[in-house]
Amino acid sequence: MKRLISIQDISCLGKCSQTIALPIISAMGIETTIIPTAVLSTHTMFPGFTFTDLSSDMPDIVAHWKSLDIHFDAILTGYLGTVNHIHMIHDFYDNFADENTLTIVDPVFADNGKMYPIFNKEYADAVTTLCSKARYIVPNITEAAIMAGMPYKDNYDQSYINEILDRLSQKGASNIIITSIRRDNENGIVARFSDGSDFEYFKPHIDSQFHGTGDLFASTFAGALLNGFAVSDAVTIAVDYTSHTLLKTLENKSHSWYGVDFETTIPWLLKRLGKID
């Protein structure tokens, strides 16, 4: 069985980060290990949330695992929170990643044209450097523009996307999958892979917004890669599953704004992977 380590926060209430990665990737048949970078009472869209930084525990966890000669087939990072956390991920790569390890970074620091309030340029620069070391990165369009050093545009064309891809490639990113790209009445991804090829995949735009859809995409993408799918197929599966789950959530009239109902759509995902009839 393949083994993935997910390094990101735990929000006790609110579907995101570890509470999406752990069930989704496990359901896909991957042993999913976690390091929580912080524990939050809720995700950050709730007012008055509590935040406990767990970075002081991470070196001891790493030291223990090294003594056990633990191997990981993939390392997935999502919401980290501090520059210190990013430095620790670099150290984790040095200790546990080799040429066969799938390293996947979801930057998670900005959306809708601006950085989240707790982040600044120092954090953006640090996560950009981390992205240059990863095999795959899955920024949304806002994060990609900031990391590329370009102003965010509400209205953009393909040349704008191409320039972002060019700049991120020049900064050392290998396989770049930019999410949350709006084009007419569609929403999807545009990617550039390490062989120089470009790829895009779009679905009809869903006029709604939920917290955690990026985490759902990244987790599904990571699990599909570890199930042996080619990168373009893994991207397609992740887009399809995210879109399907959002539509199913909207069918539930009592759904909560803070997360999508991925629990109800896991059977669909397993059928899509060919794991069940």
Side-chain angles (χ1 to χ4, degrees):
M1 183 183 293
K2 299 284 188 180
R3 177 187 288 145
L4 175 145
I5 173 69
S6 171
I7 307 176
Q8 47 192 317
D9 76 281
I10 294 177
S11 293
C12 298
L13 176 67
K15 303 176 190 182
C16 64
S17 302
Q18 298 286 25
T19 55
I20 283 182
L22 181 56
I24 290 296
I25 300 171
S26 296
M28 297 173 80
I30 309 300
E31 179 185 343
T32 309
T33 309
I34 68 168
I35 291 182
T37 56
V39 175
L40 289 74
S41 56
T42 66
H43 67 55
T44 57
M45 296 302 290
F46 286 85
F49 64 89
T50 66
F51 179 95
T52 302
D53 188 348
L54 299 180
S55 57
S56 62
D57 297 314
M58 292 174 65
D60 291 338
I61 294 172
V62 170
H64 186 211
W65 286 354
K66 284 186 67 178
S67 74
L68 299 174
D69 195 26
I70 299 297
H71 170 76
F72 298 103
D73 297 288
I75 302 169
L76 169 66
T77 60
Y79 181 93
L80 295 173
T82 70
V83 171
N84 187 41
H85 287 146
I86 295 174
H87 293 328
M88 289 182 175
I89 302 303
H90 285 284
D91 292 339
F92 197 89
Y93 280 6
D94 292 339
N95 284 305
F96 293 103
D98 58 30
E99 65 275 8
N100 297 314
T101 308
L102 302 180
T103 49
I104 306 159
V105 172
D106 183 359
V108 195
F109 70 94
D111 202 2
N112 297 316
K114 57 186 178 182
M115 283 191 276
Y116 299 139
I118 66 169
F119 295 129
N120 56 24
K121 186 177 184 301
E122 180 188 12
Y123 187 90
D125 290 343
V127 81
T128 301
T129 300
L130 180 63
C131 285
S132 72
K133 294 184 67 175
R135 182 89 62 89
Y136 302 96
I137 65 171
V138 291
N140 62 37
I141 180 63
T142 299
E143 292 158 347
I146 292 171
M147 292 194 296
M150 294 174 59
Y152 174 80
K153 295 182 178 180
D154 286 320
N155 298 306
Y156 45 81
D157 56 16
Q158 188 61 43
S159 64
Y160 177 77
I161 302 298
N162 289 340
E163 185 173 357
I164 291 176
L165 291 168
D166 289 342
R167 291 195 184 193
L168 291 177
S169 296
Q170 291 163 8
K171 289 176 179 284
S174 296
N175 295 279
I176 308 158
I177 300 114
I178 304 177
T179 67
S180 304
I181 295 179
R182 180 74 183 272
R183 186 175 65 187
D184 298 326
N185 292 318
E186 296 180 314
N187 195 288
I189 66 94
V190 173
R192 177 163 300 163
F193 301 136
S194 56
D195 62 3
S197 64
D198 288 352
F199 177 79
E200 64 178 44
Y201 186 64
F202 284 79
K203 301 282 285 186
H205 175 69
I206 301 169
D207 190 19
S208 185
Q209 192 171 36
F210 285 89
H211 199 81
T213 53
D215 300 317
L216 190 65
F217 174 88
S219 299
T220 308
F221 171 69
L225 285 177
L226 285 177
N227 270 279
F229 287 90
V231 59
S232 58
D233 293 329
V235 168
T236 301
I237 290 168
V239 172
D240 285 345
Y241 181 55
T242 302
S243 176
H244 175 76
T245 301
L246 184 51
L247 288 171
K248 284 297 182 182
T249 301
L250 292 174
E251 290 177 5
N252 173 13
K253 300 307 179 184
S254 63
H255 69 258
S256 299
W257 62 269
Y258 58 76
V260 291
D261 295 344
F262 69 86
E263 300 91 342
T264 66
T265 59
I266 288 175
W268 185 95
L269 175 60
L270 299 186
K271 289 179 183 178
R272 184 74 166 77
L273 296 174
K275 290 186 173 293
I276 60 175
D277 295 331

